[in-house]
Amino acid sequence: MVWTRKDLLGLEDLSREELEFILATADSFKEVSTREIKKVPALRGKTVVNLFYEPSTRTRVSFELAAKRLSADVINIASETSSVKKGETLIDTGRNIEALKVDIIVVRHNYSGAAAILARHVKASVINAGDGWHEHPTQALLDIFTLKEKLGRIEGLRVSIVGDIAHSRVARSNIWGLTKLGAQVTVCAPKMLVPPAIEEMGVRVTNDIDEALKDADAVDVLRMQFERDEGNAFPEQLEYFKNFGITEERLEKAKKNIIVMHPGPLNRGIEISSGVADGANSVILEQVTNGIAVRMAALFLVAQANENISHEDTH
């Protein structure tokens, strides 16, 4: 197939064919990171700006490495050290960055929909690196890529997503991606952390962690986002770990080869024990490694699509 989307804003709008195409493209890029010289010329002459309005370590560094391994020039902008502190809007910032002749803007923002707003106002490609509680498409794609790599398929897998579902953009993107590719998804959390009507996304809901782990092929453990607990609705940390934490004891009752994933950063002793995070079932660091290949694929595809669109506009 030919990729035609200028932007990558979420997985909700993507077809199964498009999801599989991104995963296949990522697979073709993965071996680049194993070379002695970890670089290909695919985006030579292109400029990528990482525009981050929220703190990030893994995602920002992963996008930067991905762009550099495609030979792009990379500029990192954090809102704390930019004109945003002087009151500049997202659209004005985006237009000014575009005026510097950049080709791709990778944006993380604390408001849902921010990436889509930016994409409507600039001709550069926009990749959503996480917007509010909405979506985090490249995190979900690297989760799915890792699952497929470890288990050989997505169709028919039972995947449980455990934790702060209500505030999680990772959960939403994973649900869209996994269900479109044929996985059976269960979400598990305390009732106050399960958003209303989430069953309409095609998932099963349970508040029983042992039930969520039973027969699951993989469990994706989400970080408890205590910084978003404005109404003090969250359970106490020790209470949460007792009732929903992924521990060695709970894992012993699950499938022997269950895959344990986590998007990071980890809250050890709150949503996951150190024994599980560092144990034989964990693929957490493999997720980080795979993130580079997935983001190389995303950058490459949107750049190609935008180039084709620009070429058509001039004829």
Side-chain angles (χ1 to χ4, degrees), residues 133 163-168 171-172 175 187-201 203 205 207 222:
W133 303 355
D164 184 1
I165 310 294
H167 301 96
S168 178
R172 284 170 179 78
I175 290 169
V187 297
C188 177
K191 289 182 179 177
M192 74 282 284
L193 298 182
V194 177
I198 194 167
E199 294 93 339
E200 294 176 7
M201 294 178 72
V203 302
V205 179
N207 307 119
L222 301 178

Side-chain angles (χ1 to χ4, degrees), residues 2-239:
V2 177
W3 189 262
T4 58
R5 292 180 184 267
K6 158 187 166 286
D7 311 298
L8 178 60
L9 304 176
L11 301 192
E12 181 178 3
D13 295 333
L14 299 190
S15 67
R16 177 172 181 147
E17 185 183 21
E18 288 173 316
L19 290 168
E20 290 174 339
F21 189 66
I22 298 174
L23 297 174
T25 306
D27 193 44
S28 70
F29 278 127
K30 183 166 181 182
E31 65 87 20
V32 174
S33 295
T34 66
R35 298 179 185 179
E36 185 176 349
I37 298 175
K38 303 176 178 62
K39 189 162 282 196
V40 291
L43 291 190
R44 182 180 292 164
K46 303 289 186 184
T47 303
V48 176
V49 169
N50 292 321
L51 177 61
F52 276 56
Y53 287 77
E54 284 185 333
S56 169
T57 302
R58 268 161 298 271
T59 303
R60 193 197 59 74
V61 173
S62 183
F63 267 111
E64 182 173 353
L65 275 176
K68 287 181 174 177
R69 286 181 186 173
L70 293 169
S71 300
D73 297 314
V74 183
I75 298 169
N76 296 307
I77 301 175
S79 61
E80 297 83 9
T81 57
S82 73
S83 294
V84 172
K85 294 292 286 184
K86 300 175 182 176
E88 188 172 68
T89 67
L90 170 65
I91 294 170
D92 283 338
T93 298
R95 284 176 169 167
N96 277 281
I97 290 172
E98 185 174 57
L100 299 171
K101 306 302 179 187
V102 307
D103 301 284
I104 303 172
I105 302 174
V106 178
V107 61
R108 165 168 290 194
H109 205 286
N110 51 329
Y111 287 106
S112 300
I117 292 171
L118 182 62
R120 285 199 295 272
H121 288 84
V122 297
K123 290 182 178 177
S125 292
V126 174
I127 296 179
N128 181 7
D131 62 328
W133 303 355
H134 177 224
E135 284 223 43
H136 193 348
T138 57
Q139 177 65 48
L141 286 164
L142 74 88
D143 293 342
I144 295 169
F145 183 93
T146 305
L147 268 180
K148 189 174 181 183
E149 185 177 65
K150 301 300 290 186
L151 299 176
R153 63 191 171 90
I154 299 300
E155 180 86 43
L157 289 183
R158 293 187 174 91
V159 182
S160 290
I161 303 174
V162 177
D164 184 1
I165 310 294
H167 301 96
S168 178
R169 53 199 177 205
V170 174
R172 284 170 179 78
S173 287
N174 262 294
I175 290 169
W176 289 124
L178 286 166
T179 54
K180 284 180 183 179
L181 293 172
Q184 300 173 39
V185 178
T186 297
V187 297
C188 177
K191 289 182 179 177
M192 74 282 284
L193 298 182
V194 177
I198 194 167
E199 294 93 339
E200 294 176 7
M201 294 178 72
V203 302
R204 184 173 70 99
V205 179
T206 179
N207 307 119
D208 184 332
I209 183 62
D210 294 318
E211 184 184 333
L213 293 178
K214 184 182 178 183
D215 298 327
D217 298 294
V219 57
D220 196 359
V221 189
L222 301 178
R223 183 175 72 87
M224 287 294 288
Q225 302 184 49
F226 291 105
E227 73 276 13
R228 300 190 193 274
D229 187 20
E230 297 173 353
N232 295 317
F234 281 26
E236 294 293 329
Q237 295 184 11
L238 289 177
E239 179 192 355

